[in-house]
Amino acid sequence: MKASEVSKLTGLPISTLRFYERKQVIPVQFVSRDENNYRVYAKEVVGFLEDVRTLLSVGFTIQELILLINESENSYTEKKALVQEKIQHIQEQKAKLESSKIFLMDVLEGKASFQTHCQS
Amino acid sequence: MKASEVSKLTGLPISTLRFYERKQVIPVQFVSRDENNYRVYAKEVVGFLEDVRTLLSVGFTIQELILLINESENSYTEKKALVQEKIQHIQEQKAKLESSKIFLMDVLEGKASFQTHCQS
DNA sequence: ACTTGCTATGAACCAAGGTTCATAGTTCAC
DNA sequence: GTGAACTATGAACCTTGGTTCATAGCAAGT
């Protein structure tokens, strides 16, 4: 697959694909080069990039992703700890989202703190 | 309450309190000035800032918060729509987090896509 | 009264996550 | 075989969400 196809399938601009590659978010085995130096992407990169997108959108940083993605960087034990920590983080985020939802619903009902203040 | 107290109670640096005020994230009725031009915060600002923190941490932007917070900016109907849209967004984020969690667990088990690729 | 600490301000600075630009080689359709 | 479209590169640029700096006015204990 060439860049434009990956871009179409993932919805990510080509510039972002290159940016991620530069940042080493995309594992090297997913990108090689053809005889014209054009990038050739493995088909698996699409699903991978969807995961990257999700994780970034829920508050993970690129640096955190790299730690999870890079094989050599950490030992299995370290990585396991990291992933568990992240899963923990996700649980916390979910709890926060739940309370945010309640907060927003209160806003809607005119019950939230900054609303009550106005009614005085 | 003075700035330092709000800072202690919320964990936000004073610089951030001023930044939020400048950005109009903090409703004007929560901050006034004393005879020395020192800021005087209403006690409700603490809970409010905790909500702000939560919403920012789960992917809301300051601009989005302002739209929700500012009374005059939108009509009730518009605001209601906005809040419902945001609640919808939260549901999507929760779903994403759930799938991210599964993804991370797969990583842990050695089943995730970029792992399977390595084993070949 | 004097030192230490809190407050104020605007402007400069910073890191993250991308995007745009200038330039140049490739290739596909016609 | 020529133009429109795709690819490559490094460097510059941009936005968001803050933080730091230089300077100065209050304050509170001793």
Side-chain angles (χ1 to χ4, degrees), chain B residues 12-116:
Chain B
L12 295 170
I14 293 179
S15 62
T16 301
L17 299 180
R18 292 204 289 105
F19 172 71
Y20 286 167
E21 189 178 340
R22 196 148 37 84
K23 287 288 185 176
Q24 311 195 51
V25 171
I26 302 179
V28 286
Q29 65 268 23
F30 282 168
V31 194
S32 51
R33 299 294 178 122
D34 71 7
E35 70 279 8
N36 300 309
N37 198 36
Y38 284 15
R39 282 173 187 81
V40 178
Y41 293 92
K43 61 185 184 314
E44 295 91 334
V45 89
V46 176
F48 173 78
L49 287 170
E50 281 160 6
D51 288 329
V52 165
R53 229 183 175 181
T54 298
L55 293 169
L56 286 177
S57 81
V58 298
F60 283 60
T61 67
I62 286 184
Q63 281 311 308
E64 288 174 333
L65 293 188
I66 290 170
L67 289 176
L68 290 177
I69 290 161
N70 199 317
E71 285 293 308
S72 49
E73 198 89 6
N74 297 283
S75 75
Y76 173 74
T77 326
E78 285 173 284
K79 209 157 153 181
K80 183 170 172 178
L82 186 56
V83 169
Q84 281 170 336
E85 185 192 302
K86 288 303 155 196
I87 289 172
Q88 180 60 36
H89 171 72
I90 285 175
Q91 300 293 9
E92 286 161 18
Q93 290 287 88
K94 281 188 68 178
K96 280 186 182 177
L97 284 170
E98 209 35 68
S99 80
S100 301
K101 183 180 162 186
I102 290 163
F103 170 70
L104 288 178
M105 281 172 162
D106 284 353
V107 169
L108 201 54
E109 309 280 313
K111 293 188 300 196
S113 57
F114 57 85
Q115 295 276 343
T116 56

Side-chain angles (χ1 to χ4, degrees), chain A residues 67-83:
Chain A
L67 288 176
L68 290 177
I69 290 160
N70 200 317
E71 285 292 307
S72 48
E73 199 88 8
N74 297 282
S75 74
Y76 173 74
T77 326
E78 285 173 285
K79 211 158 151 179
K80 183 169 172 178
L82 186 56
V83 169

